[in-house]
Amino acid sequence: MIKRELLFSKMKPQDYEEIITFLGQKMEELGYVKSTYVPAVLEREKSLPTGLQMGDYGIAIPHTDREHVRQSILAVATLKEPIEVHSMINPEEKVRVSLVILMAVEDPDGQVKMLSKLMGLFQDIETLKRLEKASSVEEMYTIITKMELEIA
């Protein structure tokens, strides 16, 4: 589920659509998702946004249906400056996010399991702080591999 080539540190996207497109294209280039994946994620975000405020941290976990996925994978980006996304809890509100985890899950039960593991991670503020401050992909990889995000 975690590959170094899908970890990105201190990205500077203009907006949320740009970061989703960038991460999704990387997934597609590596063969994990179909060409329909990015448009499907962007369309889903319009009606079911994925911004989440966890304490002082804003996180987004965009994803879409498994029909657009070839193999389960996560793409993770920390952002140099937070961007605004609509809240999962109240779509009328916006959340300033500095961590984006683009999720592609092929197994129908896997999406619920992965979201559950991610929610556990999001409640660990110390790990979020370390991840946000990571200055390299290697440092991010070390932190993320300790999170046990593989789907059992």
Side-chain angles (χ1 to χ4, degrees):
M1 286 291 298
I2 306 293
K3 302 283 183 198
R4 277 183 181 86
E5 56 267 29
L6 289 173
L7 299 179
F8 302 91
S9 177
K10 306 297 182 193
M11 299 287 297
K12 299 178 199 173
Q14 295 297 311
D15 56 29
Y16 193 40
E17 186 173 321
E18 182 180 321
I19 192 70
I20 289 172
T21 301
F22 174 82
L23 295 173
Q25 286 175 342
K26 293 295 181 186
M27 289 173 148
E28 185 181 346
E29 286 169 17
L30 294 169
Y32 292 106
V33 298
K34 300 174 183 174
S35 61
T36 56
Y37 180 78
V38 170
V41 172
L42 293 171
E43 189 59 34
R44 185 183 186 283
E45 280 293 317
K46 291 176 186 174
S47 57
L48 296 167
T50 58
L52 205 53
Q53 190 71 47
M54 300 301 292
D56 296 338
Y57 296 93
I59 301 159
I61 43 173
H63 55 281
T64 194
D65 301 323
R66 70 188 191 113
E67 68 197 51
H68 306 285
V69 178
R70 288 197 170 97
Q71 185 180 343
S72 297
I73 194 75
L74 296 176
V76 181
T78 60
L79 307 181
K80 189 163 180 71
E81 297 293 329
I83 56 174
E84 286 193 339
V85 304
H86 288 277
S87 169
M88 179 187 300
I89 308 298
N90 179 357
E92 299 300 313
E93 292 180 7
K94 291 202 173 179
V95 177
R96 289 178 54 81
V97 305
S98 52
L99 176 64
V100 177
I101 300 174
L102 185 58
M103 188 169 71
V105 181
E106 194 276 326
D107 170 22
D109 296 327
Q111 188 159 313
V112 173
K113 290 176 188 174
M114 179 54 65
L115 282 169
S116 176
K117 284 186 178 189
L118 288 172
M119 294 309 287
L121 155 69
F122 298 159
Q123 292 171 7
D124 181 355
I125 300 298
E126 290 307 310
T127 298
L128 289 178
K129 284 181 185 175
R130 287 198 335 271
L131 192 55
E132 184 181 42
K133 291 177 180 168
S135 58
S136 70
V137 167
E138 279 305 310
E139 192 176 346
M140 285 177 67
Y141 186 75
T142 300
I143 294 165
I144 288 172
T145 53
K146 290 179 183 170
M147 295 177 194
E148 299 176 358
L149 292 178
E150 303 297 322
I151 295 177

